[in-house]
Short mmCIF file of all heavy atoms in Angstrom, two decimals:
data_model
loop_
_atom_site.label_atom_id
_atom_site.label_comp_id
_atom_site.label_asym_id
_atom_site.label_seq_id
_atom_site.Cartn_x
_atom_site.Cartn_y
_atom_site.Cartn_z
N PRO A 1 -15.41 1.05 1.19
CA PRO A 1 -16.49 1.06 2.16
C PRO A 1 -16.04 1.60 3.50
O PRO A 1 -14.91 1.28 3.97
CB PRO A 1 -16.88 -0.41 2.23
CG PRO A 1 -16.38 -1.04 0.97
CD PRO A 1 -15.15 -0.29 0.62
N GLY A 2 -16.89 2.42 4.12
CA GLY A 2 -16.64 2.88 5.46
C GLY A 2 -15.67 4.03 5.61
O GLY A 2 -15.33 4.42 6.68
N HIS A 3 -15.24 4.63 4.48
CA HIS A 3 -14.33 5.73 4.54
C HIS A 3 -15.11 7.06 4.59
O HIS A 3 -15.75 7.47 3.68
CB HIS A 3 -13.40 5.77 3.31
CG HIS A 3 -12.16 4.98 3.53
ND1 HIS A 3 -11.05 5.11 2.79
CD2 HIS A 3 -11.86 4.06 4.48
CE1 HIS A 3 -10.15 4.29 3.20
NE2 HIS A 3 -10.60 3.63 4.24
N GLY A 4 -15.08 7.69 5.76
CA GLY A 4 -15.66 9.00 5.94
C GLY A 4 -14.65 10.06 5.58
O GLY A 4 -13.64 9.81 4.94
N GLU A 5 -14.91 11.29 6.07
CA GLU A 5 -14.00 12.43 5.75
C GLU A 5 -12.61 12.20 6.29
O GLU A 5 -11.59 12.41 5.60
CB GLU A 5 -14.58 13.72 6.34
CG GLU A 5 -13.79 14.95 5.96
CD GLU A 5 -13.82 15.19 4.43
OE1 GLU A 5 -14.85 14.91 3.82
OE2 GLU A 5 -12.80 15.64 3.89
N SER A 6 -12.47 11.67 7.57
CA SER A 6 -11.15 11.44 8.10
C SER A 6 -10.42 10.34 7.35
O SER A 6 -9.24 10.39 7.17
CB SER A 6 -11.25 11.13 9.60
OG SER A 6 -11.90 9.91 9.80
N GLY A 7 -11.20 9.34 6.90
CA GLY A 7 -10.62 8.26 6.14
C GLY A 7 -10.02 8.75 4.83
O GLY A 7 -8.99 8.32 4.39
N ARG A 8 -10.73 9.68 4.20
CA ARG A 8 -10.20 10.27 2.93
C ARG A 8 -8.96 11.06 3.20
O ARG A 8 -8.00 11.01 2.43
CB ARG A 8 -11.28 11.12 2.27
CG ARG A 8 -12.37 10.30 1.66
CD ARG A 8 -13.25 11.16 0.69
NE ARG A 8 -13.95 12.22 1.38
CZ ARG A 8 -15.14 12.06 1.95
NH1 ARG A 8 -15.77 10.89 1.88
NH2 ARG A 8 -15.75 13.05 2.55
N ARG A 9 -8.92 11.80 4.32
CA ARG A 9 -7.77 12.61 4.66
C ARG A 9 -6.55 11.72 4.91
O ARG A 9 -5.42 12.08 4.56
CB ARG A 9 -8.07 13.46 5.92
CG ARG A 9 -6.87 14.33 6.34
CD ARG A 9 -7.23 15.16 7.52
NE ARG A 9 -7.63 14.32 8.67
CZ ARG A 9 -6.76 13.76 9.51
NH1 ARG A 9 -5.43 13.86 9.30
NH2 ARG A 9 -7.16 13.07 10.54
N GLN A 10 -6.78 10.53 5.46
CA GLN A 10 -5.67 9.67 5.82
C GLN A 10 -5.38 8.58 4.82
O GLN A 10 -4.87 7.54 5.15
CB GLN A 10 -5.99 9.04 7.17
CG GLN A 10 -5.93 10.01 8.38
CD GLN A 10 -4.49 10.42 8.67
OE1 GLN A 10 -4.01 11.45 8.19
NE2 GLN A 10 -3.79 9.64 9.47
N ARG A 11 -5.77 8.83 3.56
CA ARG A 11 -5.46 7.81 2.53
C ARG A 11 -3.95 7.69 2.33
O ARG A 11 -3.20 8.63 2.40
CB ARG A 11 -6.11 8.23 1.21
CG ARG A 11 -7.60 7.93 1.17
CD ARG A 11 -8.25 8.38 -0.15
NE ARG A 11 -8.12 9.83 -0.28
CZ ARG A 11 -8.50 10.50 -1.40
NH1 ARG A 11 -8.92 9.83 -2.44
NH2 ARG A 11 -8.42 11.79 -1.42
N LEU A 12 -3.57 6.42 2.09
CA LEU A 12 -2.12 6.11 1.90
C LEU A 12 -2.02 5.15 0.75
O LEU A 12 -2.56 4.04 0.76
CB LEU A 12 -1.56 5.45 3.17
CG LEU A 12 -0.15 4.90 3.08
CD1 LEU A 12 0.86 6.01 2.75
CD2 LEU A 12 0.24 4.21 4.39
N TRP A 13 -1.19 5.53 -0.27
CA TRP A 13 -0.94 4.69 -1.42
C TRP A 13 0.56 4.40 -1.43
O TRP A 13 1.39 5.25 -1.11
CB TRP A 13 -1.36 5.37 -2.74
CG TRP A 13 -2.81 5.47 -2.96
CD1 TRP A 13 -3.79 5.32 -2.03
CD2 TRP A 13 -3.44 5.74 -4.21
NE1 TRP A 13 -5.05 5.50 -2.61
CE2 TRP A 13 -4.86 5.72 -3.94
CE3 TRP A 13 -2.98 5.99 -5.47
CZ2 TRP A 13 -5.79 5.99 -4.97
CZ3 TRP A 13 -3.96 6.22 -6.50
CH2 TRP A 13 -5.32 6.25 -6.20
N LEU A 14 0.89 3.23 -1.85
CA LEU A 14 2.32 2.80 -2.00
C LEU A 14 2.58 2.62 -3.47
O LEU A 14 1.88 1.89 -4.20
CB LEU A 14 2.59 1.46 -1.23
CG LEU A 14 3.99 0.88 -1.39
CD1 LEU A 14 5.00 1.79 -0.67
CD2 LEU A 14 4.01 -0.52 -0.82
N VAL A 15 3.62 3.28 -3.98
CA VAL A 15 4.02 3.20 -5.37
C VAL A 15 5.36 2.50 -5.43
O VAL A 15 6.29 2.80 -4.73
CB VAL A 15 4.14 4.60 -6.00
CG1 VAL A 15 4.86 4.52 -7.36
CG2 VAL A 15 2.73 5.25 -6.16
N LEU A 16 5.42 1.50 -6.32
CA LEU A 16 6.62 0.63 -6.49
C LEU A 16 7.24 0.90 -7.85
O LEU A 16 6.57 0.63 -8.86
CB LEU A 16 6.27 -0.80 -6.33
CG LEU A 16 5.51 -1.16 -5.10
CD1 LEU A 16 5.14 -2.68 -5.08
CD2 LEU A 16 6.29 -0.86 -3.82
N GLU A 17 8.42 1.43 -7.88
CA GLU A 17 9.11 1.80 -9.13
C GLU A 17 10.15 0.74 -9.47
O GLU A 17 11.14 0.62 -8.83
CB GLU A 17 9.74 3.14 -9.06
CG GLU A 17 10.38 3.57 -10.37
CD GLU A 17 11.04 4.95 -10.28
OE1 GLU A 17 11.62 5.25 -9.23
OE2 GLU A 17 11.05 5.64 -11.35
N HIS A 18 9.82 -0.04 -10.53
CA HIS A 18 10.81 -1.04 -11.08
C HIS A 18 11.29 -2.07 -10.05
O HIS A 18 12.50 -2.38 -10.01
CB HIS A 18 12.00 -0.29 -11.70
CG HIS A 18 11.62 0.70 -12.74
ND1 HIS A 18 12.38 1.75 -13.13
CD2 HIS A 18 10.53 0.81 -13.54
CE1 HIS A 18 11.80 2.43 -14.08
NE2 HIS A 18 10.64 1.90 -14.35
N ILE A 19 10.35 -2.59 -9.28
CA ILE A 19 10.71 -3.73 -8.40
C ILE A 19 10.74 -4.93 -9.25
O ILE A 19 9.74 -5.30 -9.92
CB ILE A 19 9.65 -3.88 -7.24
CG1 ILE A 19 9.60 -2.63 -6.38
CG2 ILE A 19 9.95 -5.09 -6.44
CD1 ILE A 19 10.92 -2.36 -5.65
N GLN A 20 11.89 -5.67 -9.27
CA GLN A 20 12.09 -6.72 -10.22
C GLN A 20 12.16 -8.11 -9.56
O GLN A 20 11.92 -9.14 -10.24
CB GLN A 20 13.32 -6.52 -11.05
CG GLN A 20 13.23 -5.21 -11.88
CD GLN A 20 14.50 -4.94 -12.72
OE1 GLN A 20 15.58 -5.41 -12.36
NE2 GLN A 20 14.35 -4.20 -13.77
N ASP A 21 12.43 -8.22 -8.29
CA ASP A 21 12.54 -9.50 -7.65
C ASP A 21 11.17 -9.94 -7.13
O ASP A 21 10.54 -9.24 -6.33
CB ASP A 21 13.54 -9.38 -6.48
CG ASP A 21 13.82 -10.76 -5.81
OD1 ASP A 21 12.89 -11.25 -5.14
OD2 ASP A 21 14.86 -11.30 -6.01
N PRO A 22 10.68 -11.12 -7.59
CA PRO A 22 9.34 -11.54 -7.14
C PRO A 22 9.20 -11.76 -5.62
O PRO A 22 8.14 -11.50 -5.07
CB PRO A 22 9.14 -12.83 -7.89
CG PRO A 22 10.50 -13.31 -8.30
CD PRO A 22 11.33 -12.10 -8.48
N MET A 23 10.30 -12.20 -4.98
CA MET A 23 10.19 -12.38 -3.53
C MET A 23 10.07 -11.01 -2.81
O MET A 23 9.30 -10.87 -1.89
CB MET A 23 11.47 -13.05 -3.02
CG MET A 23 11.67 -14.46 -3.61
SD MET A 23 10.35 -15.58 -3.11
CE MET A 23 10.71 -15.79 -1.35
N ASN A 24 10.77 -9.99 -3.33
CA ASN A 24 10.62 -8.64 -2.77
C ASN A 24 9.19 -8.09 -3.03
O ASN A 24 8.60 -7.49 -2.13
CB ASN A 24 11.62 -7.70 -3.43
CG ASN A 24 13.03 -7.85 -2.77
OD1 ASN A 24 13.17 -8.30 -1.63
ND2 ASN A 24 14.04 -7.49 -3.52
N LEU A 25 8.70 -8.28 -4.25
CA LEU A 25 7.38 -7.78 -4.55
C LEU A 25 6.33 -8.46 -3.68
O LEU A 25 5.43 -7.78 -3.10
CB LEU A 25 7.06 -7.99 -6.01
CG LEU A 25 5.65 -7.53 -6.48
CD1 LEU A 25 5.46 -6.08 -6.14
CD2 LEU A 25 5.50 -7.80 -8.00
N GLY A 26 6.44 -9.74 -3.49
CA GLY A 26 5.49 -10.41 -2.61
C GLY A 26 5.55 -9.97 -1.17
O GLY A 26 4.53 -9.70 -0.54
N ALA A 27 6.77 -9.76 -0.67
CA ALA A 27 6.95 -9.24 0.71
C ALA A 27 6.44 -7.85 0.85
O ALA A 27 5.82 -7.50 1.88
CB ALA A 27 8.44 -9.32 1.09
N LEU A 28 6.60 -7.00 -0.18
CA LEU A 28 6.06 -5.63 -0.17
C LEU A 28 4.53 -5.62 -0.10
O LEU A 28 3.92 -4.88 0.64
CB LEU A 28 6.51 -4.88 -1.39
CG LEU A 28 7.97 -4.39 -1.35
CD1 LEU A 28 8.48 -4.12 -2.77
CD2 LEU A 28 8.12 -3.15 -0.50
N LEU A 29 3.91 -6.50 -0.88
CA LEU A 29 2.44 -6.58 -0.91
C LEU A 29 1.92 -7.08 0.44
O LEU A 29 0.95 -6.65 0.94
CB LEU A 29 1.97 -7.48 -2.02
CG LEU A 29 2.26 -7.02 -3.44
CD1 LEU A 29 1.75 -8.00 -4.47
CD2 LEU A 29 1.64 -5.66 -3.72
N ARG A 30 2.67 -8.06 1.01
CA ARG A 30 2.25 -8.61 2.36
C ARG A 30 2.30 -7.48 3.37
O ARG A 30 1.37 -7.34 4.20
CB ARG A 30 3.17 -9.75 2.68
CG ARG A 30 2.77 -10.45 3.98
CD ARG A 30 3.67 -11.66 4.23
NE ARG A 30 3.28 -12.45 5.39
CZ ARG A 30 3.85 -13.56 5.73
NH1 ARG A 30 4.86 -14.09 5.02
NH2 ARG A 30 3.42 -14.21 6.79
N ALA A 31 3.38 -6.74 3.43
CA ALA A 31 3.53 -5.68 4.40
C ALA A 31 2.50 -4.55 4.20
O ALA A 31 1.89 -4.06 5.15
CB ALA A 31 4.96 -5.08 4.34
N ALA A 32 2.28 -4.20 2.92
CA ALA A 32 1.29 -3.11 2.59
C ALA A 32 -0.10 -3.54 3.06
O ALA A 32 -0.86 -2.73 3.67
CB ALA A 32 1.34 -2.81 1.12
N TYR A 33 -0.47 -4.76 2.80
CA TYR A 33 -1.81 -5.26 3.15
C TYR A 33 -1.91 -5.28 4.72
O TYR A 33 -2.90 -4.82 5.25
CB TYR A 33 -2.01 -6.66 2.59
CG TYR A 33 -3.30 -7.29 3.00
CD1 TYR A 33 -4.49 -6.88 2.43
CD2 TYR A 33 -3.37 -8.28 3.97
CE1 TYR A 33 -5.70 -7.46 2.83
CE2 TYR A 33 -4.52 -8.85 4.38
CZ TYR A 33 -5.72 -8.43 3.79
OH TYR A 33 -6.91 -9.00 4.15
N PHE A 34 -0.91 -5.81 5.37
CA PHE A 34 -0.94 -5.97 6.81
C PHE A 34 -1.04 -4.62 7.54
O PHE A 34 -1.75 -4.44 8.47
CB PHE A 34 0.31 -6.73 7.30
CG PHE A 34 0.35 -7.00 8.76
CD1 PHE A 34 -0.23 -8.12 9.30
CD2 PHE A 34 1.00 -6.09 9.61
CE1 PHE A 34 -0.21 -8.35 10.68
CE2 PHE A 34 1.03 -6.32 10.98
CZ PHE A 34 0.44 -7.48 11.53
N LEU A 35 -0.25 -3.64 7.04
CA LEU A 35 -0.15 -2.36 7.71
C LEU A 35 -1.26 -1.35 7.35
O LEU A 35 -1.35 -0.33 8.01
CB LEU A 35 1.24 -1.74 7.45
CG LEU A 35 2.41 -2.50 8.07
CD1 LEU A 35 3.74 -2.03 7.56
CD2 LEU A 35 2.32 -2.36 9.63
N GLY A 36 -2.09 -1.67 6.35
CA GLY A 36 -3.20 -0.82 6.09
C GLY A 36 -3.10 0.15 4.93
O GLY A 36 -3.87 1.14 4.86
N VAL A 37 -2.15 -0.12 4.07
CA VAL A 37 -2.06 0.73 2.83
C VAL A 37 -3.33 0.53 2.02
O VAL A 37 -3.89 -0.59 1.87
CB VAL A 37 -0.81 0.30 2.01
CG1 VAL A 37 -0.81 0.94 0.61
CG2 VAL A 37 0.44 0.61 2.75
N ASP A 38 -3.83 1.65 1.42
CA ASP A 38 -5.13 1.60 0.69
C ASP A 38 -4.94 1.09 -0.73
O ASP A 38 -5.81 0.33 -1.21
CB ASP A 38 -5.74 3.02 0.67
CG ASP A 38 -6.05 3.51 2.04
OD1 ASP A 38 -6.81 2.84 2.77
OD2 ASP A 38 -5.50 4.55 2.44
#
């Protein structure tokens, strides 16, 4: 919701390859959510 043309241009996805530690995965999700990853 609310993504116009500039929002589409500025899309950001985070890809996690073989993250195995649950504490790391949780911290990564927290940072991604806080900083605005789509």
Side-chain angles (χ1 to χ4, degrees):
H3 271 197
E5 185 63 35
S6 64
R8 288 194 295 273
R9 179 179 60 82
Q10 289 290 93
R11 283 178 294 175
L12 172 61
W13 289 17
L14 178 67
V15 167
L16 308 176
E17 183 181 33
H18 303 158
I19 298 297
Q20 298 180 335
D21 186 287
M23 299 297 289
N24 281 335
L25 179 55
L28 284 161
L29 295 179
R30 184 177 186 176
Y33 177 76
F34 182 88
L35 291 169
V37 170
D38 298 301

